[in-house]
PDB file of all heavy atoms in Angstrom:
ATOM      1  N   ILE A   1       0.862  -1.192  -0.001  1.00 88.00           N
ATOM      2  CA  ILE A   1       0.001   0.000   0.000  1.00 88.00           C
ATOM      3  C   ILE A   1       0.891   1.235   0.002  1.00 88.00           C
ATOM      4  O   ILE A   1       1.745   1.401   0.890  1.00 88.00           O
ATOM      5  CB  ILE A   1      -0.938   0.005   1.223  1.00 88.00           C
ATOM      6  CG1 ILE A   1      -1.815  -1.241   1.229  1.00 88.00           C
ATOM      7  CG2 ILE A   1      -1.778   1.276   1.253  1.00 88.00           C
ATOM      8  CD1 ILE A   1      -2.647  -1.380   2.499  1.00 88.00           C
ATOM      9  N   ARG A   2       0.722   2.099  -0.989  1.00 90.00           N
ATOM     10  CA  ARG A   2       1.459   3.359  -1.054  1.00 90.00           C
ATOM     11  C   ARG A   2       0.816   4.377  -0.119  1.00 90.00           C
ATOM     12  O   ARG A   2      -0.409   4.488  -0.056  1.00 90.00           O
ATOM     13  CB  ARG A   2       1.472   3.911  -2.472  1.00 90.00           C
ATOM     14  CG  ARG A   2       2.180   3.053  -3.506  1.00 90.00           C
ATOM     15  CD  ARG A   2       3.690   3.088  -3.316  1.00 90.00           C
ATOM     16  NE  ARG A   2       4.235   4.443  -3.477  1.00 90.00           N
ATOM     17  CZ  ARG A   2       5.518   4.742  -3.352  1.00 90.00           C
ATOM     18  NH1 ARG A   2       6.390   3.784  -3.033  1.00 90.00           N
ATOM     19  NH2 ARG A   2       5.929   5.973  -3.527  1.00 90.00           N
ATOM     20  N   ILE A   3       1.638   5.124   0.614  1.00 90.00           N
ATOM     21  CA  ILE A   3       1.107   6.158   1.518  1.00 90.00           C
ATOM     22  C   ILE A   3       1.878   7.454   1.337  1.00 90.00           C
ATOM     23  O   ILE A   3       3.031   7.463   0.899  1.00 90.00           O
ATOM     24  CB  ILE A   3       1.183   5.713   2.998  1.00 90.00           C
ATOM     25  CG1 ILE A   3       2.635   5.388   3.373  1.00 90.00           C
ATOM     26  CG2 ILE A   3       0.266   4.549   3.290  1.00 90.00           C
ATOM     27  CD1 ILE A   3       2.848   5.259   4.857  1.00 90.00           C
ATOM     28  N   ASP A   4       1.231   8.539   1.665  1.00 92.00           N
ATOM     29  CA  ASP A   4       1.842   9.871   1.629  1.00 92.00           C
ATOM     30  C   ASP A   4       1.633  10.499   3.003  1.00 92.00           C
ATOM     31  O   ASP A   4       0.691  11.244   3.229  1.00 92.00           O
ATOM     32  CB  ASP A   4       1.215  10.717   0.529  1.00 92.00           C
ATOM     33  CG  ASP A   4       1.766  12.138   0.505  1.00 92.00           C
ATOM     34  OD1 ASP A   4       2.899  12.327   0.977  1.00 92.00           O
ATOM     35  OD2 ASP A   4       1.033  13.038   0.055  1.00 92.00           O
ATOM     36  N   THR A   5       2.505  10.167   3.926  1.00 92.00           N
ATOM     37  CA  THR A   5       2.351  10.595   5.314  1.00 92.00           C
ATOM     38  C   THR A   5       3.654  11.214   5.805  1.00 92.00           C
ATOM     39  O   THR A   5       4.729  10.644   5.612  1.00 92.00           O
ATOM     40  CB  THR A   5       1.997   9.397   6.220  1.00 92.00           C
ATOM     41  OG1 THR A   5       0.833   8.762   5.716  1.00 92.00           O
ATOM     42  CG2 THR A   5       1.763   9.853   7.656  1.00 92.00           C
ATOM     43  N   ARG A   6       3.541  12.372   6.433  1.00 94.00           N
ATOM     44  CA  ARG A   6       4.719  12.990   7.045  1.00 94.00           C
ATOM     45  C   ARG A   6       4.888  12.425   8.448  1.00 94.00           C
ATOM     46  O   ARG A   6       3.926  12.313   9.204  1.00 94.00           O
ATOM     47  CB  ARG A   6       4.563  14.498   7.128  1.00 94.00           C
ATOM     48  CG  ARG A   6       5.815  15.187   7.689  1.00 94.00           C
ATOM     49  CD  ARG A   6       5.652  16.670   7.801  1.00 94.00           C
ATOM     50  NE  ARG A   6       6.916  17.336   8.051  1.00 94.00           N
ATOM     51  CZ  ARG A   6       7.056  18.659   8.140  1.00 94.00           C
ATOM     52  NH1 ARG A   6       6.000  19.446   7.981  1.00 94.00           N
ATOM     53  NH2 ARG A   6       8.244  19.189   8.369  1.00 94.00           N
ATOM     54  N   VAL A   7       6.142  12.106   8.815  1.00 95.00           N
ATOM     55  CA  VAL A   7       6.416  11.493  10.111  1.00 95.00           C
ATOM     56  C   VAL A   7       7.117  12.495  11.030  1.00 95.00           C
ATOM     57  O   VAL A   7       8.151  13.077  10.685  1.00 95.00           O
ATOM     58  CB  VAL A   7       7.291  10.237   9.951  1.00 95.00           C
ATOM     59  CG1 VAL A   7       7.634   9.646  11.326  1.00 95.00           C
ATOM     60  CG2 VAL A   7       6.578   9.206   9.089  1.00 95.00           C
ATOM     61  N   LEU A   8       6.512  12.686  12.202  1.00 96.00           N
ATOM     62  CA  LEU A   8       7.125  13.433  13.293  1.00 96.00           C
ATOM     63  C   LEU A   8       7.296  12.459  14.448  1.00 96.00           C
ATOM     64  O   LEU A   8       6.399  11.669  14.737  1.00 96.00           O
ATOM     65  CB  LEU A   8       6.251  14.613  13.733  1.00 96.00           C
ATOM     66  CG  LEU A   8       5.763  15.575  12.638  1.00 96.00           C
ATOM     67  CD1 LEU A   8       4.877  16.647  13.245  1.00 96.00           C
ATOM     68  CD2 LEU A   8       6.947  16.211  11.916  1.00 96.00           C
ATOM     69  N   ALA A   9       8.436  12.489  15.100  1.00 96.00           N
ATOM     70  CA  ALA A   9       8.690  11.580  16.211  1.00 96.00           C
ATOM     71  C   ALA A   9       9.216  12.362  17.400  1.00 96.00           C
ATOM     72  O   ALA A   9       9.782  13.454  17.243  1.00 96.00           O
ATOM     73  CB  ALA A   9       9.703  10.502  15.813  1.00 96.00           C
ATOM     74  N   ALA A  10       8.996  11.815  18.594  1.00 95.00           N
ATOM     75  CA  ALA A  10       9.449  12.482  19.814  1.00 95.00           C
ATOM     76  C   ALA A  10       9.938  11.442  20.809  1.00 95.00           C
ATOM     77  O   ALA A  10       9.482  10.296  20.812  1.00 95.00           O
ATOM     78  CB  ALA A  10       8.328  13.309  20.418  1.00 95.00           C
ATOM     79  N   THR A  11      10.874  11.864  21.641  1.00 95.00           N
ATOM     80  CA  THR A  11      11.381  10.979  22.686  1.00 95.00           C
ATOM     81  C   THR A  11      12.025  11.795  23.790  1.00 95.00           C
ATOM     82  O   THR A  11      12.509  12.908  23.545  1.00 95.00           O
ATOM     83  CB  THR A  11      12.415   9.980  22.120  1.00 95.00           C
ATOM     84  OG1 THR A  11      12.824   9.092  23.158  1.00 95.00           O
ATOM     85  CG2 THR A  11      13.629  10.699  21.569  1.00 95.00           C
ATOM     86  N   ASN A  12      12.007  11.217  24.993  1.00 93.00           N
ATOM     87  CA  ASN A  12      12.726  11.828  26.105  1.00 93.00           C
ATOM     88  C   ASN A  12      13.989  11.040  26.433  1.00 93.00           C
ATOM     89  O   ASN A  12      14.627  11.269  27.450  1.00 93.00           O
ATOM     90  CB  ASN A  12      11.837  11.911  27.352  1.00 93.00           C
ATOM     91  CG  ASN A  12      11.357  10.549  27.822  1.00 93.00           C
ATOM     92  OD1 ASN A  12      11.722   9.526  27.258  1.00 93.00           O
ATOM     93  ND2 ASN A  12      10.529  10.540  28.845  1.00 93.00           N
ATOM     94  N   ARG A  13      14.315  10.077  25.567  1.00 91.00           N
ATOM     95  CA  ARG A  13      15.484   9.237  25.780  1.00 91.00           C
ATOM     96  C   ARG A  13      16.606   9.622  24.806  1.00 91.00           C
ATOM     97  O   ARG A  13      16.367  10.282  23.792  1.00 91.00           O
ATOM     98  CB  ARG A  13      15.118   7.767  25.600  1.00 91.00           C
ATOM     99  CG  ARG A  13      14.011   7.304  26.546  1.00 91.00           C
ATOM    100  CD  ARG A  13      13.706   5.837  26.393  1.00 91.00           C
ATOM    101  NE  ARG A  13      14.855   4.997  26.747  1.00 91.00           N
ATOM    102  CZ  ARG A  13      14.833   3.666  26.710  1.00 91.00           C
ATOM    103  NH1 ARG A  13      13.732   3.029  26.326  1.00 91.00           N
ATOM    104  NH2 ARG A  13      15.904   2.973  27.043  1.00 91.00           N
ATOM    105  N   ASN A  14      17.828   9.183  25.144  1.00 92.00           N
ATOM    106  CA  ASN A  14      18.975   9.420  24.270  1.00 92.00           C
ATOM    107  C   ASN A  14      19.067   8.256  23.285  1.00 92.00           C
ATOM    108  O   ASN A  14      19.527   7.165  23.627  1.00 92.00           O
ATOM    109  CB  ASN A  14      20.261   9.532  25.098  1.00 92.00           C
ATOM    110  CG  ASN A  14      21.447   9.986  24.265  1.00 92.00           C
ATOM    111  OD1 ASN A  14      21.608   9.577  23.125  1.00 92.00           O
ATOM    112  ND2 ASN A  14      22.283  10.836  24.842  1.00 92.00           N
ATOM    113  N   LEU A  15      18.618   8.496  22.068  1.00 93.00           N
ATOM    114  CA  LEU A  15      18.567   7.417  21.080  1.00 93.00           C
ATOM    115  C   LEU A  15      19.944   6.914  20.680  1.00 93.00           C
ATOM    116  O   LEU A  15      20.111   5.741  20.356  1.00 93.00           O
ATOM    117  CB  LEU A  15      17.791   7.883  19.847  1.00 93.00           C
ATOM    118  CG  LEU A  15      16.305   8.209  20.056  1.00 93.00           C
ATOM    119  CD1 LEU A  15      15.642   8.549  18.733  1.00 93.00           C
ATOM    120  CD2 LEU A  15      15.586   7.043  20.733  1.00 93.00           C
ATOM    121  N   LEU A  16      20.948   7.789  20.709  1.00 91.00           N
ATOM    122  CA  LEU A  16      22.302   7.342  20.365  1.00 91.00           C
ATOM    123  C   LEU A  16      22.822   6.336  21.389  1.00 91.00           C
ATOM    124  O   LEU A  16      23.508   5.368  21.029  1.00 91.00           O
ATOM    125  CB  LEU A  16      23.246   8.540  20.269  1.00 91.00           C
ATOM    126  CG  LEU A  16      23.210   9.311  18.947  1.00 91.00           C
ATOM    127  CD1 LEU A  16      24.160  10.495  19.002  1.00 91.00           C
ATOM    128  CD2 LEU A  16      23.587   8.404  17.775  1.00 91.00           C
ATOM    129  N   ASP A  17      22.493   6.577  22.670  1.00 90.00           N
ATOM    130  CA  ASP A  17      22.870   5.596  23.689  1.00 90.00           C
ATOM    131  C   ASP A  17      22.160   4.271  23.429  1.00 90.00           C
ATOM    132  O   ASP A  17      22.752   3.189  23.603  1.00 90.00           O
ATOM    133  CB  ASP A  17      22.523   6.116  25.085  1.00 90.00           C
ATOM    134  CG  ASP A  17      23.466   7.213  25.546  1.00 90.00           C
ATOM    135  OD1 ASP A  17      24.511   7.390  24.894  1.00 90.00           O
ATOM    136  OD2 ASP A  17      23.157   7.894  26.536  1.00 90.00           O
ATOM    137  N   MET A  18      20.904   4.339  23.012  1.00 91.00           N
ATOM    138  CA  MET A  18      20.151   3.122  22.721  1.00 91.00           C
ATOM    139  C   MET A  18      20.744   2.409  21.502  1.00 91.00           C
ATOM    140  O   MET A  18      20.751   1.175  21.437  1.00 91.00           O
ATOM    141  CB  MET A  18      18.681   3.462  22.484  1.00 91.00           C
ATOM    142  CG  MET A  18      17.978   4.016  23.711  1.00 91.00           C
ATOM    143  SD  MET A  18      16.236   4.358  23.408  1.00 91.00           S
ATOM    144  CE  MET A  18      15.607   2.693  23.111  1.00 91.00           C
ATOM    145  N   VAL A  19      21.236   3.195  20.540  1.00 92.00           N
ATOM    146  CA  VAL A  19      21.903   2.592  19.385  1.00 92.00           C
ATOM    147  C   VAL A  19      23.126   1.809  19.845  1.00 92.00           C
ATOM    148  O   VAL A  19      23.368   0.667  19.421  1.00 92.00           O
ATOM    149  CB  VAL A  19      22.294   3.667  18.353  1.00 92.00           C
ATOM    150  CG1 VAL A  19      23.228   3.085  17.295  1.00 92.00           C
ATOM    151  CG2 VAL A  19      21.057   4.262  17.700  1.00 92.00           C
ATOM    152  N   ASP A  20      23.906   2.415  20.750  1.00 89.00           N
ATOM    153  CA  ASP A  20      25.106   1.735  21.263  1.00 89.00           C
ATOM    154  C   ASP A  20      24.729   0.479  22.047  1.00 89.00           C
ATOM    155  O   ASP A  20      25.479  -0.506  22.043  1.00 89.00           O
ATOM    156  CB  ASP A  20      25.904   2.690  22.156  1.00 89.00           C
ATOM    157  CG  ASP A  20      26.502   3.847  21.371  1.00 89.00           C
ATOM    158  OD1 ASP A  20      26.664   3.699  20.146  1.00 89.00           O
ATOM    159  OD2 ASP A  20      26.792   4.896  21.975  1.00 89.00           O
ATOM    160  N   GLU A  21      23.582   0.522  22.707  1.00 88.00           N
ATOM    161  CA  GLU A  21      23.139  -0.629  23.496  1.00 88.00           C
ATOM    162  C   GLU A  21      22.486  -1.713  22.628  1.00 88.00           C
ATOM    163  O   GLU A  21      22.189  -2.804  23.117  1.00 88.00           O
ATOM    164  CB  GLU A  21      22.150  -0.169  24.572  1.00 88.00           C
ATOM    165  CG  GLU A  21      22.771   0.762  25.621  1.00 88.00           C
ATOM    166  CD  GLU A  21      21.716   1.487  26.442  1.00 88.00           C
ATOM    167  OE1 GLU A  21      20.512   1.228  26.203  1.00 88.00           O
ATOM    168  OE2 GLU A  21      22.089   2.286  27.310  1.00 88.00           O
ATOM    169  N   GLY A  22      22.204  -1.392  21.383  1.00 90.00           N
ATOM    170  CA  GLY A  22      21.586  -2.350  20.484  1.00 90.00           C
ATOM    171  C   GLY A  22      20.086  -2.432  20.608  1.00 90.00           C
ATOM    172  O   GLY A  22      19.457  -3.356  20.085  1.00 90.00           O
ATOM    173  N   THR A  23      19.454  -1.444  21.260  1.00 91.00           N
ATOM    174  CA  THR A  23      17.994  -1.454  21.427  1.00 91.00           C
ATOM    175  C   THR A  23      17.289  -0.514  20.453  1.00 91.00           C
ATOM    176  O   THR A  23      16.059  -0.424  20.472  1.00 91.00           O
ATOM    177  CB  THR A  23      17.617  -1.075  22.869  1.00 91.00           C
ATOM    178  OG1 THR A  23      18.195   0.197  23.191  1.00 91.00           O
ATOM    179  CG2 THR A  23      18.133  -2.115  23.851  1.00 91.00           C
ATOM    180  N   PHE A  24      18.064   0.197  19.639  1.00 93.00           N
ATOM    181  CA  PHE A  24      17.455   1.068  18.629  1.00 93.00           C
ATOM    182  C   PHE A  24      18.294   1.001  17.367  1.00 93.00           C
ATOM    183  O   PHE A  24      19.525   1.090  17.419  1.00 93.00           O
ATOM    184  CB  PHE A  24      17.361   2.510  19.127  1.00 93.00           C
ATOM    185  CG  PHE A  24      16.351   3.342  18.388  1.00 93.00           C
ATOM    186  CD1 PHE A  24      15.020   3.349  18.766  1.00 93.00           C
ATOM    187  CD2 PHE A  24      16.725   4.112  17.288  1.00 93.00           C
ATOM    188  CE1 PHE A  24      14.077   4.105  18.072  1.00 93.00           C
ATOM    189  CE2 PHE A  24      15.792   4.866  16.599  1.00 93.00           C
ATOM    190  CZ  PHE A  24      14.461   4.856  16.989  1.00 93.00           C
ATOM    191  N   ARG A  25      17.624   0.851  16.234  1.00 93.00           N
ATOM    192  CA  ARG A  25      18.322   0.698  14.961  1.00 93.00           C
ATOM    193  C   ARG A  25      19.035   1.992  14.575  1.00 93.00           C
ATOM    194  O   ARG A  25      18.433   3.070  14.587  1.00 93.00           O
ATOM    195  CB  ARG A  25      17.352   0.309  13.857  1.00 93.00           C
ATOM    196  CG  ARG A  25      16.759  -1.081  13.993  1.00 93.00           C
ATOM    197  CD  ARG A  25      15.860  -1.358  12.805  1.00 93.00           C
ATOM    198  NE  ARG A  25      16.607  -1.311  11.550  1.00 93.00           N
ATOM    199  CZ  ARG A  25      16.842  -2.361  10.774  1.00 93.00           C
ATOM    200  NH1 ARG A  25      16.400  -3.563  11.139  1.00 93.00           N
ATOM    201  NH2 ARG A  25      17.510  -2.243   9.651  1.00 93.00           N
ATOM    202  N   GLU A  26      20.312   1.867  14.217  1.00 93.00           N
ATOM    203  CA  GLU A  26      21.090   3.039  13.843  1.00 93.00           C
ATOM    204  C   GLU A  26      20.568   3.664  12.554  1.00 93.00           C
ATOM    205  O   GLU A  26      20.478   4.902  12.441  1.00 93.00           O
ATOM    206  CB  GLU A  26      22.560   2.664  13.689  1.00 93.00           C
ATOM    207  CG  GLU A  26      23.468   3.851  13.438  1.00 93.00           C
ATOM    208  CD  GLU A  26      24.936   3.473  13.465  1.00 93.00           C
ATOM    209  OE1 GLU A  26      25.233   2.254  13.465  1.00 93.00           O
ATOM    210  OE2 GLU A  26      25.781   4.389  13.476  1.00 93.00           O
ATOM    211  N   ASP A  27      20.204   2.829  11.574  1.00 93.00           N
ATOM    212  CA  ASP A  27      19.714   3.376  10.308  1.00 93.00           C
ATOM    213  C   ASP A  27      18.386   4.088  10.505  1.00 93.00           C
ATOM    214  O   ASP A  27      18.115   5.104   9.857  1.00 93.00           O
ATOM    215  CB  ASP A  27      19.593   2.278   9.247  1.00 93.00           C
ATOM    216  CG  ASP A  27      18.909   1.017   9.768  1.00 93.00           C
ATOM    217  OD1 ASP A  27      18.430   1.033  10.921  1.00 93.00           O
ATOM    218  OD2 ASP A  27      18.875   0.020   9.018  1.00 93.00           O
TER     219      ASP A  27
END
């Protein structure tokens, strides 16, 4: 299914730390 949706995301966590921990995808 093709979609045309703008994505906004928010977090109160440090995603780079999660990337280092392997709990968040770097890409």
Side-chain angles (χ1 to χ4, degrees):
I1 301 173
R2 297 288 299 180
I3 58 167
D4 177 25
T5 304
R6 183 181 193 177
V7 177
L8 309 178
T11 183
N12 60 3
R13 302 182 63 179
N14 189 321
L15 296 184
L16 278 178
D17 286 347
M18 295 182 65
V19 169
D20 293 338
E21 295 165 2
T23 56
F24 200 86
R25 292 182 61 112
E26 186 173 11
D27 46 6

